[in-house]
Amino acid sequence: MSGLTLHVRTLYANVYLLNSPAGRLLVDAGGPLHAPLFARLLHAFRPDALLVTHAHLDHLGGAFLAARLGLPVLAHPLEIPRLTGRETDLSYPAGRPGVARALFGAAPKVPAGAVSAVQEGDHVLGWEVLHLPGHTAGQIGLWRDGHLIAGDAVLAGPDGAHLPKPKYNADHAQALATLKRIAGLDTRVVWPGHGGPLTPAQVRARAVRDDPQTPS
C-alpha cells in the first residue's frame, strides 16, 4: 500500500490505525473498559476521523471520547441508532436481552450530531466502504489495494478464519453470504475484528467449509 501505514492495537477488539497522505483514520474504538487506553491512543495518533465498523460494545466503547474531541464519528445508517443510544437491542449475550440493555444503558453514548453516515461505495480518507452485513445489519468494512478491514464479518483463531457463532449474529445466513463475498474478493490480507491478519486462502477455506451448499 503505497504511502500507507497500518498498525493494530488490541483493546479487546482490534483497533486499526491507518495513516496515509489522505489523512489519519482510526477504525473501531475497543471495549468500554478500555476507554482510558483508547483516550491515550487518540492523543498519540491524532486521527482525522473514527470509523465504527458496527455498533457492538467491544467496538464502540471509546467512540464517545472521539466525539468529545470534535472528531467525526462514521458509521452505517443502520448502526447509528445503537451508537447514539436510541436502540439497545443486541444479539449477545445470547438469550439475555435484559443484560444487553443494561450494558448499553451503562455505556457512554455518542451525540447524534457527532455521527455521520457512510455506506457501500463511499470513500473515507482513501479507503472504500464495503457493506458486510450479517453479524449486524449495518456492519461495514474498508477496502484498499487488496487490504480488507472486515470488522466481525470474519474472525481469526488458532485454526484460521471463522465466523462468530450463529447466536451472536443478527442474521447468520447473511453472515455466511458476506463471508462468501469476502472470499471472492481479490484480497492480499484480511484484517479481522478479533485476532491476527488472515490470508485469502484461509478465508476461502472457511467459506467453503461453512457453505451449506458444499457437499460434506
Side-chain angles (χ1 to χ4, degrees), residues 92-117:
Y92 66 87
R96 302 173 67 188
V99 174
R101 285 192 292 271
L103 290 171
F104 260 96
K109 309 302 185 294
V110 178
V115 185
S116 296

Side-chain angles (χ1 to χ4, degrees), residues 1 33 40 43 49 65 112 157 174:
M1 293 183 291
L33 296 180
R40 291 200 286 272
H43 287 285
L65 296 169
Q174 194 174 52

